[in-house]
């Protein structure tokens, strides 16, 4: 057997071993007269994976159940140890049955896979690219703190939108909407309730408040591993994703120039932003462990491989951590407020297409809050904008089962 996909492909040389060679002498009737082993076979080397098969199976079951019941096109989830980089669960739906592909006997089923519009051969967890939406906001907050553009206790008013002067018509203004009016929010509260106006303001600037600007946004989100390939032997084919930049816009929009509104939309994880769930879980893990970007592994290990450390004051991470915990207590992550474990989380609802009738639903975070061990990221793909059940419900069902 030769491993053709997944961990079997990556570890093929280790797992496969070597065939032996035996010479058999038979007579004209096919009766064996004698045989000699010229070269004995060698077993492959066993490896121990970090995957918890029960957790992974349940995560797949939960994602499939919600996708089928509510009407998402698919979904993916990852759980990672924030200290070692071990992947505890990594699953994608819809997916193919590897036994059917290995046996190669059920041609009808194989042809169904090949014709499917739902791309069952795509590993959504490591290779699927999704608009991240508001799960980017904690990293915007860290960037703003690092650049000292705002005091975390400063409150910004959201009345439901902001307006900037239209550069082409002095009689018109361009409106950038929040998903609701949040009133005055400081940084922690803005993370908890996911205020778009707050992050428009610290991202692009508004009135007397200076913003990061697209160059600093690009710099900091790249620090946390977005827009870059994951440096792991298991995921070396995974895409780097996209961070929107002026150069990217020129290339993709026939030379059109970058505008302030593009910076606003990038600040809340929209526009051309594209990330994988694996990138998201690595980034969230770095918030939980105060700045270590880990190389994810599918091997059971006690030793972390740290790709890089984002050396910011611990108090900056604490502010974002507190905001994510507040989000579970009384914010957009409230579905994860459970009595048996404290979770810190950041939700995201990424609008898709010009009509915005479809969304990706995200839930990212880590647990336990005071002594973090695991980070998670779940995305439910391309569901109806009015769905009230999404990634948060998926992780809640999983964590209830784990408990």
């Amino acid at each position: 057997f030769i491993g053709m996909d997944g961990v079997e492909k990556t570890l093929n040389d280790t797992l496969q071993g070597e065939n032996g060679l035996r010479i058999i002498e038979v007579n004209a009737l096919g009766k064996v007269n004698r045989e000699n082993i010229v070269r004995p076979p060698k077993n492959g080397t066993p490896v121990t994976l970090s995957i918890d098969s029960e957790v992974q199976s349940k995560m797949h079951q939960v994602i499939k159940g919600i996708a089928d019941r509510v009407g998402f096109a698919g979904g993916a989830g990852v759980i990672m140890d924030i200290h070692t980089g071990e992947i505890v669960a990594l699953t994608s739906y819809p997916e193919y049955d590897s036994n059917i592909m290995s046996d190669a006997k059920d041609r009808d089923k194989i042809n169904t896979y090949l014709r499917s519009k739902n791309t069952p051969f795509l590993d959504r967890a490591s290779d699927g690219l999704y608009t991240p939406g508001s799960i980017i906001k904690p990293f915007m907050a860290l960037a703003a703190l690092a650049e000292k553009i705002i005091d975390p206790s400063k409150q910004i008013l959201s009345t439901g939108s902001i307006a900037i002067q239209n550069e082409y018509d002095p009689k018109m203004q361009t409106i950038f909407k929040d998903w609701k009016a949040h009133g005055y929010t400081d940084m922690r509260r803005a993370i908890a309730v996911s205020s778009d106006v707050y992050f428009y303001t610290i991202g692009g600037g508004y009135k007397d408040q200076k913003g990061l600007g697209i160059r600093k946004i690009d710099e900091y989100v790249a620090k946390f591993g977005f827009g870059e390939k994951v440096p792991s032997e298991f995921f070396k084919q995974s895409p780097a994703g996209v961070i929107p930049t002026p150069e990217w816009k020129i290339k993709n929009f026939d030379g059109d120039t970058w505008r302030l509104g593009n910076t606003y939309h990038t600040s809340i994880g929209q526009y051309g932003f594209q990330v994988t769930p694996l990138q998201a879980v690595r980034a969230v893990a770095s918030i939980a462990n105060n700045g270590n970007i880990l190389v994810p592994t599918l091997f059971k290990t006690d030793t972390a491989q740290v790709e890089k450390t984002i050396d910011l004051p611990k108090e900056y991470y604490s502010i974002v951590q507190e905001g994510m915990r507040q989000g579970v207590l009384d914010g957009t992550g409230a579905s994860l407020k459970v009595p048996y474990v404290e979770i810190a989380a950041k939700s995201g609802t990424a609008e898709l297409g010009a009509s915005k009738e479809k969304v990706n639903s995200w839930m990212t975070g880590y647990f336990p809050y005071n002594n973090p061990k695991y980070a998670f990221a779940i995305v439910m793909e391309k569901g109806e904008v009015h769905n009230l059940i999404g990634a948060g419900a998926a992780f809640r069902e999983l964590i209830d089962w784990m408990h």
Side-chain angles (χ1 to χ4, degrees):
F1 287 93
I2 297 172
M4 298 300 292
D5 198 12
V7 72
E8 288 86 357
K9 179 179 180 180
T10 303
L11 300 179
N12 183 72
D13 292 343
T14 301
L15 297 170
Q16 192 176 44
E18 296 180 16
N19 291 334
L21 181 62
R22 179 172 59 184
I23 294 178
I24 301 174
E25 180 185 315
V26 298
N27 62 20
L29 299 176
K31 181 179 179 181
V32 176
N33 289 334
R34 58 179 156 179
E35 58 183 274
N36 295 294
I37 295 176
V38 178
R39 185 178 67 236
K42 293 182 180 179
N43 288 330
T45 303
V47 297
T48 302
L49 301 184
S50 59
I51 295 293
D52 184 310
S53 61
E54 291 184 66
V55 173
Q56 177 159 291
S57 178
K58 183 63 178 181
M59 178 183 273
H60 182 268
Q61 178 186 330
V62 166
I63 290 172
K64 179 183 185 300
I66 288 180
D68 292 348
R69 186 168 74 250
V70 180
F72 286 96
V78 192
I79 299 176
M80 187 176 83
D81 188 305
I82 71 158
H83 301 297
T84 64
E86 291 173 307
I87 300 295
V88 177
L90 180 141
T91 191
S92 173
Y93 172 75
E95 65 178 2
Y96 64 92
D97 186 328
S98 57
N99 290 323
I100 287 175
M101 297 304 296
S102 296
D103 292 343
K105 294 177 181 177
D106 190 342
R107 305 306 303 175
D108 290 340
K109 188 65 175 179
I110 291 172
N111 285 328
T112 299
Y113 290 152
L114 294 172
R115 290 193 299 266
S116 174
K117 295 180 180 179
N118 290 329
T119 57
F121 293 107
L122 173 66
D123 186 340
R124 286 163 163 78
S126 61
D127 300 347
L129 288 171
Y130 299 97
T131 305
S134 294
I135 66 168
I136 288 296
K137 290 173 180 176
F139 308 101
M140 295 293 113
L142 285 168
L145 292 169
E147 291 298 310
K148 297 180 170 57
I149 65 166
I150 191 169
D151 186 292
S153 63
K154 179 180 177 179
Q155 295 190 331
I156 292 176
L157 175 64
S158 168
T159 58
S161 65
I162 61 174
I164 61 173
Q165 187 62 51
N166 188 301
E167 61 183 293
Y168 301 107
D169 187 342
K171 297 179 181 179
M172 293 184 65
Q173 290 184 319
T174 302
I175 308 298
F176 295 87
K177 293 183 178 180
D178 207 328
W179 69 277
K180 67 178 290 188
H182 298 286
Y184 283 101
T185 61
D186 61 12
M187 183 174 283
R188 293 174 179 84
R189 188 65 184 164
I191 293 171
V193 300
S194 202
S195 169
D196 289 339
V197 163
Y198 185 95
F199 288 96
Y200 291 150
T201 303
I202 67 169
Y206 185 63
K207 294 184 177 179
D208 62 346
Q209 175 59 55
K210 179 183 177 182
L212 286 162
I214 192 57
R215 295 300 181 191
K216 284 296 180 183
I217 291 173
D218 182 26
E219 176 187 335
Y220 278 92
V221 293
K223 285 179 187 288
F224 286 95
F226 297 110
E228 299 179 350
K229 282 185 169 290
V230 176
S232 168
E233 62 176 314
F234 296 104
F235 307 111
K236 59 187 176 183
Q237 301 301 323
S238 298
V242 176
I243 304 170
T245 63
E247 292 76 19
W248 169 86
K249 187 180 181 184
I250 288 170
K251 180 180 178 181
N252 289 278
F253 290 87
D254 297 325
D256 198 7
T257 58
W258 190 266
R259 294 178 175 82
L260 176 59
N262 304 141
T263 303
Y264 284 164
H265 288 143
T266 302
S267 300
I268 61 167
Q270 291 283 165
Y271 202 38
F273 232 131
Q274 296 272 278
V275 307
T276 68
L278 185 64
Q279 289 174 325
V281 82
R282 280 214 311 158
V284 171
S286 75
I287 292 176
N289 66 28
N290 299 318
N292 290 326
I293 301 291
L294 304 177
V295 177
T297 180
L298 293 174
F299 284 129
K300 189 69 180 169
T301 180
D302 295 321
T303 306
Q305 186 178 349
V306 180
E307 180 194 359
K308 55 186 173 181
T309 298
I310 305 163
D311 190 15
L312 299 177
K314 188 175 184 299
E315 65 188 271
Y316 293 177
Y317 289 105
S318 295
I319 290 165
V320 172
Q321 291 162 2
E322 290 162 13
M324 292 175 69
R325 177 59 185 157
Q326 192 175 336
V328 172
L329 293 176
D330 61 0
T332 59
S335 62
L336 302 184
K337 185 180 179 181
V338 294
Y340 51 82
V341 64
E342 293 185 339
I343 301 171
K346 183 70 196 79
S347 65
T349 304
E351 297 172 333
L352 306 178
S355 66
K356 301 179 181 180
E357 293 178 357
K358 300 285 186 179
V359 297
N360 293 333
S361 171
W362 284 90
M363 187 62 78
T364 62
Y366 62 91
F367 63 96
Y369 172 63
N370 287 315
N371 186 23
K373 176 67 173 173
Y374 300 110
F376 64 89
I378 290 185
V379 62
M380 299 302 299
E381 173 188 325
K382 201 174 182 182
E384 297 295 331
V385 68
H386 300 297
N387 276 348
L388 297 178
I389 297 175
F395 193 72
R396 173 60 183 269
E397 188 174 337
L398 176 65
I399 201 79
D400 281 345
W401 173 86
M402 290 170 70
H403 172 65

